[in-house]
């Protein structure tokens, strides 16, 4: 009888085999499309006392997009999280319903058809990411290319005219897009790669000052550069939201990479110093801070209510259950009602109950993204998942806080919900990357790991002895194959980004 080889003490035990749950995903997608179509019909009945003529086209279009995305996941990422895609489809569908509802108040400026077109482009990019990106660790090789592209995308809008006081848009041949939205994903790829390679230096080296370990200037330099970048974006583009988002995500990743709470305090201090300085010197940001502190000044002076005051009135009118879809008056907010203030429409017409359900959807999206990162063993993938999941979390907090009067308005778009082609496309790419990461995290390990015999594979999928690995697929090392005993992971710390 042959003795079974013992498993090395530092080799993790094989995890339970998780079901793929693609059938669950398909059923949830059907529910998401059905809820969106019913909302569309409800708006038509409330405003026109008839079923909207485009209900069938709307339902078919959204259903086809959801089915295409599902098929891509089913065949290329079969073990991906079954909740992420239905949540994205439901949020996108609800956003289309609200934009259609507000279009009825502005017949000369319909935005729902354009938003549906951008949603289709977003699903196309989602499908491309799922089909072409077989291993999320491939992105680690392009860290510096990513940060260079992100900086270029951030700088270009400076040379175009400001719109509503902010230089964040590019208008070409009648089309406009916001390059900073795409830069978010590229910067997170760089942040994750840099911190994965330098997390030990950030956490354990350098001098101790004020009970905190400060790393060397060489390691600390990129952190200071990121802070200067966020302040520079704030000054040159007058975009408070993007600046807060970049710096917030970086601080979260820094904390996750090092485990030092002191970095949170340093990040908050630097953010406060930068915001106070720019808010004092930049008139556009200073005006937003003044509107936040005195939202009812316009009423008292006879100039009428400001956008923030109208938004607060809308939330108050909604109460617990809301006025019903199509029955509110949030269109009085003005030109930003379909973008920055679309949450006010949601709060007025669906009430506190609807808002709670909406925030739970966002919370579930963020939690499932974080869960995918926690289940991974390579530091880059873990930080990438945390960064991507933190984006909608910080964005929802910043937007909801601004519209509800908790913090100054920032001019950002609510993920999937608000009008904005660049935003909806970027959010679909983020969901695709999270699905790819979750597929790596949930996929079953090779049978060799369950016996305790760990085969170290080469990039060609061969063992050192020259034989093929059991999977026979180079991508089997993408987090599905446990690392060799005594090593944390082949794609993580120590590797230059």
């Amino acid at each position: 009888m042959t003795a079974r080889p013992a498993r090395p003490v530092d080799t993790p035990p094989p995890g339970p085999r998780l079901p793929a749950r693609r059938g669950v995903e398909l059923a949830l997608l059907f529910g998401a499309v059905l809820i969106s179509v019913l909302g569309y019909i409800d708006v038509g009945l409330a405003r026109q006392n008839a079923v909207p003529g485009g209900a069938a086209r709307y339902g078919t279009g959204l259903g086809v997009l959801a089915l295409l995305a599902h098929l891509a996941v089913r065949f290329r990422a079969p073990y991906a999280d079954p909740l992420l895609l239905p949540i994205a489809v439901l949020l996108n569908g609800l956003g289309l319903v609200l934009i259609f509802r507000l279009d009825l108040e502005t017949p000369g400026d319909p935005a729902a058809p354009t938003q549906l077109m951008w949603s289709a482009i977003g699903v196309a990019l989602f499908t491309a990411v799922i089909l072409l990106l077989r291993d999320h660790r491939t992105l680690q090789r392009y860290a510096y290319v990513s940060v260079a592209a992100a900086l270029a995308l951030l700088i270009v809008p400076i040379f175009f005219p400001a719109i509503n006081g902010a230089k964040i848009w590019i208008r070409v041949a009648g089309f406009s897009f916001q390059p900073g939205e795409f830069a978010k994903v590229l910067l997170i790829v760089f942040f994750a790669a840099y911190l994965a390679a330098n997390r030990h230096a950030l956490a354990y080296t350098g001098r101790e000052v004020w009970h905190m370990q400060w790393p060397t200037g060489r390691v600390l330099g990129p952190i200071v550069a990121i802070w200067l970048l966020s302040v520079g974006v704030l000054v040159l583009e007058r975009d408070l939201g993007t600046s807060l988002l970049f710096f917030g995500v970086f601080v979260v990743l820094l904390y996750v990479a090092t485990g030092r709470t002191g970095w949170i305090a340093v990040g908050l201090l630097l953010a406060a110093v930068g915001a106070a300085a720019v808010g004092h010197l930049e008139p556009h940001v200073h005006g937003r801070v003044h509107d936040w502190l005195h939202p009812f000044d316009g009423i008292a002076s006879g100039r009428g209510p400001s956008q923030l005051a109208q938004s607060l009135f809308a939330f108050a009118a909604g109460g617990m259950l809301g006025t019903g879809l199509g029955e509110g008056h949030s269109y009085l907010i003005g030109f930003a009602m379909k973008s920055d203030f679309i949450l006010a429409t949601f709060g007025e017409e669906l009430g506190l109950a609807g808002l709670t359900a909406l925030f739970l959807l966002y919370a579930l999206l963020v939690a499932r993204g974080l869960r995918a990162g926690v289940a991974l063993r390579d530091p880059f993938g873990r930080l990438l998942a945390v960064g991507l999941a933190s984006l909608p979390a910080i964005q929802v907090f910043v937007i909801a806080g601004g519209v509800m009067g908790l913090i100054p308005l920032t001019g950002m778009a609510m993920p999937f919900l608000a009008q904005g082609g660049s935003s909806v496309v970027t959010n679909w790419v983020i969901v695709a990357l999270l699905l790819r990461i979750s597929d790596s995290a949930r996929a079953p390990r090779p049978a060799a790991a369950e016996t305790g015999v760990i085969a170290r594979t080469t990039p060609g999928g061969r063992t050192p002895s020259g034989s093929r690995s059991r999977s026979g697929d180079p991508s089997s090392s993408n987090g599905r194959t446990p690392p060799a005993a005594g090593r944390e992971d082949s794609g993580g710390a120590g590797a230059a980004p």
Side-chain angles (χ1 to χ4, degrees):
M1 181 175 179
T2 304
R4 185 176 183 176
R7 186 170 57 233
V9 293
D10 53 353
T11 300
R17 185 182 182 85
L18 298 175
R21 297 193 183 280
R22 297 276 68 85
V24 173
E25 180 183 81
L26 186 60
L28 291 175
L29 282 174
F30 177 78
V33 174
L34 181 62
I35 291 173
S36 303
V37 172
L38 291 177
Y40 190 84
I41 294 174
D42 190 28
V43 169
L45 291 174
R47 299 292 301 166
Q48 302 168 334
N49 202 26
V51 176
R57 291 196 303 273
Y58 169 77
T60 303
L62 189 62
V64 168
L65 292 179
L67 184 60
L68 289 175
H70 168 74
L71 291 176
V73 174
R74 175 177 286 272
F75 291 108
R76 285 296 192 181
Y79 293 97
D81 193 306
L83 292 183
L84 287 171
L85 181 58
I87 292 173
V89 170
L90 180 55
L91 289 172
N92 202 162
L94 292 176
L96 289 169
V97 169
L98 289 179
I99 294 172
F100 165 70
R101 178 263 173 276
L102 294 170
D103 279 349
L104 298 178
E105 307 294 343
T106 55
D109 184 26
T114 306
Q115 185 74 359
L116 183 58
M117 181 196 72
W118 281 111
S119 300
I121 295 174
V123 173
L125 281 179
F126 169 94
T127 305
V129 171
I130 293 293
L131 295 181
L132 300 178
L133 184 65
R134 302 296 303 276
D135 184 348
H136 64 272
R137 291 190 299 184
T138 303
L139 299 174
Q140 194 173 8
R141 304 173 193 164
Y142 305 102
Y144 288 113
V145 175
S146 298
V147 73
L151 290 176
L153 290 172
L154 287 174
I155 292 173
V156 169
I158 296 174
F159 303 103
F160 286 78
I163 299 177
N164 299 325
K167 292 184 175 182
I168 57 177
W169 294 92
I170 292 178
R171 286 189 182 277
V172 178
F175 290 94
S176 61
F177 62 97
Q178 192 173 340
E181 291 287 340
F182 307 114
K184 295 187 302 187
V185 179
L186 297 173
L187 280 177
I188 286 179
V189 171
F190 170 73
F191 290 162
Y194 177 80
L195 292 174
N198 295 281
R199 67 189 194 285
H200 288 301
L202 286 166
Y204 304 113
T205 64
R207 294 183 177 180
E208 183 173 342
V209 180
W210 294 343
H211 306 287
M212 182 173 174
Q213 198 84 20
W214 292 87
T216 62
R218 185 182 64 82
V219 179
L220 198 59
I223 300 173
V224 178
I226 293 299
W227 177 70
L228 292 175
L229 170 66
S230 62
V231 175
V233 169
L234 187 57
V235 172
L236 297 176
E237 299 188 356
R238 305 170 185 173
D239 187 5
L240 179 62
T242 302
S243 174
L244 285 174
L245 190 63
F246 288 164
F247 197 72
V249 170
F250 183 70
V251 171
V252 169
L253 288 179
L254 192 57
Y255 168 69
V256 173
T258 63
R260 298 293 180 91
T261 54
W263 286 116
I264 298 291
V266 173
L268 291 176
L269 179 63
L270 289 175
V273 171
V278 177
H280 182 70
L281 299 174
E282 175 56 48
H284 177 71
V285 178
H286 180 74
R288 290 204 166 189
V289 174
H290 180 270
D291 291 341
W292 167 56
L293 294 174
H294 310 284
F296 303 110
D297 270 8
I299 300 175
S301 62
R303 291 181 285 108
S306 64
Q307 289 182 325
L308 180 56
Q310 289 282 12
S311 173
L312 296 176
F313 293 151
F315 284 118
M320 182 61 71
L321 299 177
T323 59
L325 276 173
E327 302 288 350
H329 299 83
S330 60
Y331 55 85
L332 295 174
I333 292 173
F335 67 92
M337 61 181 176
K338 298 177 187 177
S339 52
D340 304 20
F341 288 92
I342 199 167
L343 189 66
T345 301
F346 204 100
E348 181 178 10
E349 302 191 356
L350 295 174
L352 180 61
L355 275 178
T356 302
L358 179 68
F359 289 144
L360 284 176
L361 280 178
Y362 283 119
L364 197 55
L365 179 69
V366 173
R368 302 300 286 200
L370 293 176
R371 179 179 178 180
V374 169
L376 276 179
R377 302 191 66 244
D378 70 284
F380 170 72
R382 200 179 307 151
L383 289 170
L384 182 63
V386 170
L388 293 172
S390 299
L391 266 180
I394 297 175
Q395 201 163 337
V396 168
F397 171 76
V398 169
I399 298 167
V403 173
M404 294 178 178
L406 184 64
I407 60 175
L409 286 169
T410 58
M412 298 175 67
M414 199 76 174
F416 285 116
L417 206 66
Q419 176 190 358
S422 311
S423 173
V424 74
V425 169
T426 304
N427 286 317
W428 273 112
V429 172
I430 291 172
V431 172
L433 291 174
L434 287 176
L435 278 167
R436 171 54 63 203
I437 293 172
S438 70
D439 179 59
S440 297
R442 298 178 79 249
R445 294 169 184 159
E450 299 178 6
T451 64
V453 178
I454 309 300
R456 184 181 300 178
T457 58
T458 65
R462 295 179 179 277
T463 62
S465 61
S467 61
R468 298 282 300 178
S469 63
R470 293 193 63 164
S471 64
D473 184 356
S475 65
S476 62
S477 62
N478 61 355
R480 303 177 189 182
T481 303
R487 300 178 64 208
E488 186 174 9
D489 190 278
S490 60

